[in-house]
């Protein structure tokens, strides 16, 4: 074995994509010291995408003061690629679930306003290509908060301006766009999605994702009814039927909001990142590809990063395996193996320690390489 390519997503809350790759490299070299290990920083449109694309495209990190999901001042960063006038922005940086404690999570109150502030800052610096990575959000406001920060005014039946939270969606009766930033008309927006969720309904944003953002059963019903009402408003105001756009429900409806109000194109985040890091070129000289994420489950097989890596590797006829902290599925048509790295009996708290996770990955990869080469 001469060359191994590592293209793994982060192990959320534990190791970054490159930290996973470092651990994989240590495992490979413990068995095959002379093997070249090509380590890629990759992500699927959620957390880590800014860093991955900034690394791949020689971008710089810009940090600004914005509002968190509950309106508190925080510092958040995005990547700017000056050469192409592109800003790469993660919704999670300003409106992410990790910014709130479990007790603070409340999608009826949370707003994506801070994400709009990041877009506004990028526009003020001359960026006219905005790549919005919308995974990992704490919001279910259909992008109202984000759009409010860009000058859109959402009005209730009495003409009062709404702040733009999950609870406000059902109250919207009109949208005033007379004060929007003129730069929006000169800007190309692309949305990197990691899910294909519809805007609303049983498989939509509220029912599938709002519970993990702190919504109870009654809250979910309120949010979904609000999404349905807001979809009608969007159709009336913009002529766009968000109900028919795959991924419109991503990030609590931000995908649909950007498609309808900003003309954004929705794409798979994983595919965009893999193109940027030129994975296909690297596969031509690879003997093995190692991908992965914290938990390989049913969602992995619907188009998340390990699945996309596996598809490309299989097309190039390169063996590919996925490592993970935990596995809920053990078969995928494109993967040669799915390898949980956590030893039986180890607690989740212990397994999530970065040093322990790195060692688990190293040992699991070394064991796989050893067995595969019949050493």
């Amino acid at each position: 074995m001469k060359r191994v390519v590592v293209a793994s997503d982060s192990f959320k809350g534990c190791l970054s994509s490159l930290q996973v790759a470092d651990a994989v490299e240590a495992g490979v070299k413990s068995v095959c010291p002379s093997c070249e290990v090509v380590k890629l920083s990759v992500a699927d449109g959620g957390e880590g995408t800014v860093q991955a694309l900034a690394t791949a495209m020689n971008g710089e990190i810009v940090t600004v003061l914005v509002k968190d999901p509950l309106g508190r001042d925080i510092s958040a960063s995005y990547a700017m690629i000056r050469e192409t006038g592109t800003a790469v922005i993660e919704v999670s940086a300003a409106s992410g679930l990790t910014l709130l404690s479990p007790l603070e999570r409340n999608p009826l109150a949370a707003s994506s306003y801070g994400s709009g502030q990041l877009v506004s800052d990028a526009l003020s610096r001359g960026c006219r290509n905005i790549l919005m990575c919308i995974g990992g959000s704490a919001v279910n406001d259909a992008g109202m908060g984000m759009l409010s920060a860009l000058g859109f005014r959402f009005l209730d039946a009495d003409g009062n301006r709404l702040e733009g939270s999950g609870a406000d969606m059902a109250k919207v009766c009109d949208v005033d766009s007379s004060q929007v930033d003129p730069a929006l008309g000169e800007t190309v927006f692309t949305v990197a999605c990691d899910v294909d969720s519809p805007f609303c309904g049983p498989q939509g944003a509220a029912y599938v994702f709002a519970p993990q953002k702190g919504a109870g059963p009654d809250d979910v019903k309120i949010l979904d009814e609000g999404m349905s009402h807001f979809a009608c408003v969007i159709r009336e105001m913009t002529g766009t039927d968000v109900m028919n756009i795959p991924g419109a429900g991503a990030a609590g409806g931000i995908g649909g909001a950007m498609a309808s109000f900003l003309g954004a194109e929705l794409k798979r985040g994983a595919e965009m990142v893999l193109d940027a890091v030129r994975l296909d070129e690297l596969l031509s000289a690879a003997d093995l590809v190692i991908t992965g994420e914290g938990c390989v489950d049913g969602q992995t097989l619907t188009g998340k990063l390990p699945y996309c890596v596996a598809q490309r590797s299989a097309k190039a006829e390169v063996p590919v395996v996925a490592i993970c902290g935990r596995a809920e599925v053990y078969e995928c048509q494109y993967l040669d193996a799915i390898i949980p790295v956590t030893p039986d009996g180890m607690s989740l708290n212990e397994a999530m320690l970065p040093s322990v996770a790195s060692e688990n990955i190293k040992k699991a990869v070394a064991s796989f390489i050893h067995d595969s080469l019949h050493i």
Side-chain angles (χ1 to χ4, degrees):
M1 186 175 294
K2 297 180 180 179
R3 196 184 208 204
V4 174
V5 173
V6 187
S8 173
D9 204 346
S10 63
F11 279 30
K12 296 290 190 293
C14 182
L15 298 173
S16 70
S17 174
L18 281 180
Q19 287 172 326
V20 172
D22 287 340
V24 170
E25 180 182 39
V28 171
K29 287 189 172 292
S30 70
V31 180
C32 300
S34 62
C35 182
E36 178 189 4
V37 179
V38 180
K39 299 179 291 184
L40 302 177
S41 177
V42 292
D44 61 8
E47 295 174 57
T49 306
V50 162
Q51 189 59 57
L53 291 179
T55 300
M57 302 168 72
N58 297 316
E60 62 183 88
I61 301 299
V62 177
T63 302
V64 294
L65 189 68
V66 299
K67 299 294 184 182
D68 79 353
L70 298 181
R72 300 170 298 200
D73 289 337
I74 60 167
S75 293
S77 301
Y78 65 92
M80 182 168 63
I81 297 91
R82 290 187 181 275
E83 184 178 354
T84 59
T86 299
V88 185
I89 299 172
E90 288 178 8
V91 163
S92 61
S95 311
L97 194 61
T98 58
L99 299 174
L100 305 180
S101 71
L103 292 178
E104 291 177 328
R105 296 174 183 176
N106 179 3
L108 287 170
S111 169
S112 58
Y113 189 87
S115 296
Q117 290 178 295
L118 291 177
V119 174
S120 181
D121 186 81
L123 295 176
S124 73
R125 296 174 191 265
C127 293
R128 293 299 179 264
N129 292 291
I130 306 292
L131 171 55
M132 204 75 169
C133 308
I134 62 175
S137 79
V139 300
N140 199 130
D141 67 348
M144 285 178 58
M146 177 195 69
L147 293 169
S148 293
L150 297 173
F152 288 90
R153 300 174 69 245
F154 296 94
L155 309 174
D156 66 14
D158 297 320
N160 299 313
R161 184 172 184 174
L162 299 166
E163 293 296 325
S165 64
D168 285 339
M169 293 186 295
K171 304 174 186 177
V172 181
C173 290
D174 195 12
V175 183
D176 176 11
S177 60
S178 63
Q179 299 178 33
V180 300
D181 189 330
L184 291 177
E186 308 166 357
T187 304
V188 176
F189 289 89
T190 305
V191 175
C193 297
D194 58 358
V195 296
D196 288 333
S197 302
F199 199 69
C200 55
Q203 301 302 314
Y207 276 100
V208 175
F209 296 107
Q212 70 191 44
K213 301 177 183 182
D218 291 341
D219 299 332
V220 167
K221 185 177 180 181
I222 292 171
L223 289 167
D224 188 66
E225 290 174 350
M227 296 282 282
S228 180
H229 168 77
F230 192 47
C232 295
V233 175
I234 290 174
R235 185 169 60 248
E236 183 179 341
M237 295 293 109
T238 70
T240 300
D241 186 359
V242 292
M243 303 290 281
N244 293 323
I245 301 176
I254 289 178
M258 293 192 67
S260 55
F261 287 99
L262 302 178
E265 181 180 6
L266 275 59
K267 294 184 176 181
R268 282 202 181 278
E271 301 291 4
M272 296 175 64
V273 173
L274 296 179
D275 285 341
V277 300
R278 299 181 177 179
L279 175 66
D280 293 342
E281 295 177 25
L282 296 171
L283 291 176
S284 63
D287 298 304
L288 174 69
V289 175
I290 299 178
T291 185
E293 63 179 343
C295 177
V296 171
D297 55 18
Q299 285 193 17
T300 303
L301 308 185
T302 64
K304 300 200 79 174
L305 186 128
Y307 185 84
C308 295
V309 172
Q311 275 188 316
R312 293 184 181 216
S313 301
K315 184 177 180 180
E317 299 183 340
V318 181
V320 55
V321 300
I323 58 171
C324 56
R326 178 169 58 91
E328 294 183 3
V329 295
Y330 288 88
E331 292 184 3
C332 170
Q333 61 178 322
Y334 299 113
L335 285 167
D336 294 282
I338 296 172
I339 306 168
V341 303
T342 306
D344 291 342
M346 179 175 286
S347 70
L348 177 61
N349 287 340
E350 183 180 1
M352 288 285 287
L353 295 172
S355 59
V356 173
S358 293
E359 187 65 19
N360 286 343
I361 292 171
K362 175 184 174 181
K363 289 180 178 178
V365 169
S367 176
F368 174 80
I369 299 294
H370 181 279
D371 293 346
S372 298
L373 298 181
H374 306 292
I375 297 175

